[in-house]
């Protein structure tokens, strides 16, 4: 299992490395332009403030309601400063989505740690319930992210997100007597994430509907 | 179960009704512009030829490789004619994706009909295997559609696609003694479609890998 600070430091590295290494490629494919690496502490703070403002805007108004002008204004940062770090709206929104998904991963790490210290017996049900909690966390934002995240993020990024859960769940469920198959857990995580995404698209929330919740726990707890 | 010609006529209606009713809304949100309803037989043929050319281009080069110029040229149709029916590239690609998903639905109808005439005993395994076959049908095209389909299609359209499978599978599996719950089948279809989509994103194909196939059949056949 990755230690928590790996996730955190990866977040920071990605912000800076992305600007340097993938700028060229993104320009060609998705018109995301992130121009300057925020190496100094103050630059990092500016980037974080912009991401936070854009998160709020995306949650409230959706992708088509976001403009770089609005993001800069509500962050209290000049539009010139915004363009020092992000070449366009796609670039800011892409950083917002990554930040939110990194939040999911961090939350999962914490939940797994909490369990180790706790008393609960059934690890499998715990995994299913925790995944529902995490994938449905900040549902308003997730609803707005869903139509654009496959479009704006590189496929490798989404794969890393899925693999993070696969590796951590495999480790969590494995015992001295039983090594859990990663192929099996990949089917589990890919199905589960896909389910939640398709339900979000249908405006359904598992945790609100007892019928849905029961079927989901029955389908998934027995499998892993 | 919807009769097959409902699906076919729906395809045609959607091409024409979409141009009239959703033009205004799409202009605002996704910059898809479909301008003229192809009411005459010849116009319909032109639209179909353009959709076929764009399908081939998308399959080969992906969304960022598609241009309206290339589509018109390889269709042997003037760019002016293309712009009579589609306002921009997003509009043509959107029609391509709808056409492909309608193909999935038609294929599923046929498969269900084949079963009724056939000998196979286990309906549940048949459903699982048929869904794998359909969702992985024309995988090269699906791989290129995936990053953009939630972006270009209205959520209601994707919901209709899911509901089509939910209704048909529920009807197919229900007997005089047992009414299958649509909530349960919704969990099943949403999970299954999400699984295939996430595996496509990871460049994995269930039907090629025995391990994946076995886990998928074991997870899903027991559930429904």
């Amino acid at each position: 299992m990755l230690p928590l600070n790996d996730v955190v430091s990866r977040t920071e590295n990605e912000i800076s490395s992305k600007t340097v290494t993938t700028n060229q490629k993104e320009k060609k494919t998705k018109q995301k332009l992130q121009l300057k690496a925020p190496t100094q502490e103050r630059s990092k703070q500016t980037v974080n403030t912009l991401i936070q403002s854009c998160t709020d805007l995306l949650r409230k108004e959706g992708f088509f309601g976001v403009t770089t002008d609005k993001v800069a204004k509500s962050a209290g940062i000049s539009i010139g400063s915004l363009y020092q770090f992000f070449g366009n709206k796609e670039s800011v929104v892409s950083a917002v989505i990554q930040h939110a998904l990194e939040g999911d991963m961090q939350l999962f790490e914490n939940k797994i740690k909490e369990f180790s210290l706790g008393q609960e017996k059934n690890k499998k049900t715990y995994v299913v319930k925790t995944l529902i909690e995490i994938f449905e966390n900040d549902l308003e934002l997730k609803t707005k992210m869903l139509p654009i995240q496959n479009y704006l993020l590189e496929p490798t990024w989404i794969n890393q997100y899925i693999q993070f859960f696969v590796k951590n769940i495999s480790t969590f469920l494995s015992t001295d007597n039983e090594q859990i198959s990663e192929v099996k857990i990949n089917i589990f995580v890919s199905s589960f994430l896909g389910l939640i995404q398709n339900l979000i698209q249908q405006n359904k929330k598992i945790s609100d509907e007892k019928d849905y919740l029961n079927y989901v726990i029955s389908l998934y707890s027995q499998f892993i």
Side-chain angles (χ1 to χ4, degrees), chain A:
Chain A
M1 205 175 307
L2 288 170
L4 184 57
N5 47 2
D6 260 28
V7 178
V8 176
S9 67
R10 202 149 46 78
T11 314
E12 286 167 1
N13 289 338
E14 261 164 23
I15 290 174
S16 50
S17 72
K18 205 172 174 61
T19 56
V20 180
T21 59
T22 67
N23 189 11
Q24 211 58 13
K25 191 182 164 204
E26 285 175 1
K27 205 185 276 190
K28 238 174 43 202
T29 57
K30 288 179 188 173
Q31 291 87 43
K32 280 180 300 180
L33 310 167
Q34 200 172 356
L35 303 172
K36 192 179 156 187
T39 41
Q40 292 170 316
E41 197 47 51
R42 203 170 149 192
S43 298
K44 278 185 193 169
Q45 266 181 28
T46 306
V47 166
N48 286 340
T49 310
L50 288 166
I51 288 178
Q52 195 47 60
S53 294
C54 184
T55 302
D56 295 340
L57 255 170
L58 182 66
R59 187 189 292 111
K60 232 169 88 184
E61 306 195 20
F63 183 61
F64 294 97
V66 174
T67 66
T68 46
D69 271 339
K70 284 194 211 163
V71 172
K73 192 172 255 178
S74 74
I77 286 167
S78 75
I79 185 78
S81 294
L82 183 149
Y83 280 113
Q84 283 194 305
F85 301 106
F86 300 102
N88 56 18
K89 153 180 155 170
E90 282 73 12
S91 166
V92 201
V93 174
S94 175
V96 164
I97 297 173
Q98 289 188 25
H99 186 258
L101 297 181
E102 277 156 1
D104 285 356
M105 296 193 277
Q106 201 168 322
L107 197 55
F108 189 74
E109 291 263 4
N110 294 344
K111 283 282 169 186
I112 293 290
K113 279 191 186 150
E114 273 174 35
F115 181 87
S116 310
L117 303 166
Q119 304 293 324
E120 193 159 339
K121 287 287 183 294
N122 194 334
K123 277 187 161 187
K124 293 173 183 179
T125 316
Y126 185 80
V127 167
V128 172
K129 286 182 176 165
T130 303
L131 285 184
I132 294 175
E133 190 184 329
I134 286 170
F135 293 152
E136 290 193 342
N137 175 41
D138 201 347
L139 201 61
E140 226 175 331
L141 180 63
K142 296 255 163 75
T143 306
K144 303 294 170 45
M145 281 164 49
L146 199 61
I148 47 170
Q149 68 188 40
N150 285 344
Y151 178 63
L152 291 180
L153 297 188
E154 305 293 329
T156 49
W157 208 99
I158 308 265
N159 292 351
Q160 279 172 28
Y161 178 73
I162 292 176
Q163 283 313 312
F164 170 86
F165 288 101
V166 171
K167 286 211 180 304
N168 279 280
I169 293 170
S170 304
T171 310
F172 181 64
L173 293 180
S174 287
T175 61
D176 291 344
N177 302 322
E178 195 192 1
Q179 194 63 33
I180 300 285
S181 147
E182 283 198 11
V183 171
K184 180 174 167 173
I185 301 298
N186 190 322
I187 298 288
F188 169 77
V189 172
S190 299
S191 292
F192 206 91
L193 179 64
L195 167 70
I196 307 267
Q197 290 176 335
N198 281 320
L199 290 182
I200 289 176
Q201 195 124 7
Q202 296 169 60
N203 276 320
K204 291 185 173 109
K205 194 178 170 185
I206 291 179
S207 46
D208 274 356
E209 305 219 18
K210 221 181 145 206
D211 271 4
Y212 277 94
L213 190 62
N214 288 340
Y215 280 123
V216 168
I217 291 177
S218 111
L219 171 61
Y220 286 100
S221 311
Q222 283 169 31
F223 175 64
I224 51 172

